[in-house]
Amino acid sequence: MTTERTDPYEVPGRPCSIAATLQVVGDRWSLLAVREVTFGNHRFRQIARNTGAPTDRLSARLKSLVADGVLERRPLPDEPRHDGYYLTEAGRDLLGVIRELLRWGDRWLTTAPPMKLRHHDHDFGLRPVCAHCGEPVTQGEVHAEVAAAGWTLAGPVADSTGRGARDA
């Protein structure tokens, strides 16, 4: 990525990589723009049409995504006088998040899935597997371990006054 990494203690609330991530892609138009680029829509007008974003807001989000290293601008192959938007390695790494948002929305929000992901000749489905040991993983087997100093899963560690580190 082209931006400096975020110190998790500088993010408001609990030091957390989710909070740092949402500072970059935590609005509707950012993730929808990444979705469109993933689908091969690299031109601004295609992204605007397919996201429904107001053009001024989309322009600002695309500029921010480029500055944050999620997208890059480069000449379009069929029209080198104009630039298009392309995923960087960091942008490609967001595809798992987008797939999970699609799966969750299909299950909990839409009356019928408006799109399917396909793998060869069948519907695509993910099954989590631990990259370390190769075993299939179920939700009950994963737990959080707090590495941030002064924090527990319940929140900031209380000082001698009974107040949390961030309550002061």
Side-chain angles (χ1 to χ4, degrees):
M1 292 186 54
T2 59
T3 60
E4 291 183 32
R5 291 182 175 260
T6 300
D7 179 346
Y9 292 95
E10 297 297 320
V11 177
R14 177 188 299 276
C16 176
S17 296
I18 295 170
T21 300
L22 291 174
Q23 287 185 327
V24 174
V25 295
D27 67 83
R28 171 187 178 123
W29 308 123
S30 293
L31 285 176
L32 291 178
V34 171
R35 176 200 68 191
E36 288 306 312
V37 173
T38 300
F39 290 165
N41 297 312
H42 304 288
R43 299 170 192 275
F44 179 85
R45 68 179 180 269
Q46 291 173 310
I47 298 168
R49 179 187 65 227
N50 295 342
T51 61
T55 56
D56 60 332
R57 188 163 301 158
L58 179 62
S59 179
R61 293 303 179 267
L62 290 170
K63 188 175 191 175
S64 176
L65 289 168
V66 168
D68 288 330
V70 175
L71 297 176
E72 64 182 352
R73 286 184 68 168
R74 61 177 194 248
L76 293 163
D78 60 336
E79 208 174 328
R81 294 177 306 141
H82 294 96
D83 284 346
Y85 294 92
Y86 295 85
L87 294 173
T88 63
E89 181 181 359
R92 287 186 297 276
D93 234 12
L94 280 171
L95 299 183
V97 173
I98 290 173
R99 279 192 299 264
E100 279 302 300
L101 287 170
L102 175 68
R103 184 199 61 76
W104 189 86
D106 286 349
R107 180 170 181 196
W108 296 104
L109 299 177
T110 60
T111 56
M115 174 189 323
K116 288 184 178 183
L117 297 180
R118 305 281 291 165
H119 178 249
H120 301 299
D121 62 349
H122 55 272
D123 288 349
F124 176 73
L126 285 175
R127 184 182 73 193
V129 175
C130 178
H132 180 76
C133 67
E135 291 182 12
V137 178
T138 62
Q139 182 61 38
E141 297 175 327
V142 177
H143 68 277
E145 185 176 291
V146 179
W151 286 82
T152 68
L153 288 177
V157 176
D159 62 18
S160 60
T161 66
R163 299 175 71 186
R166 295 240 171 162
D167 293 339

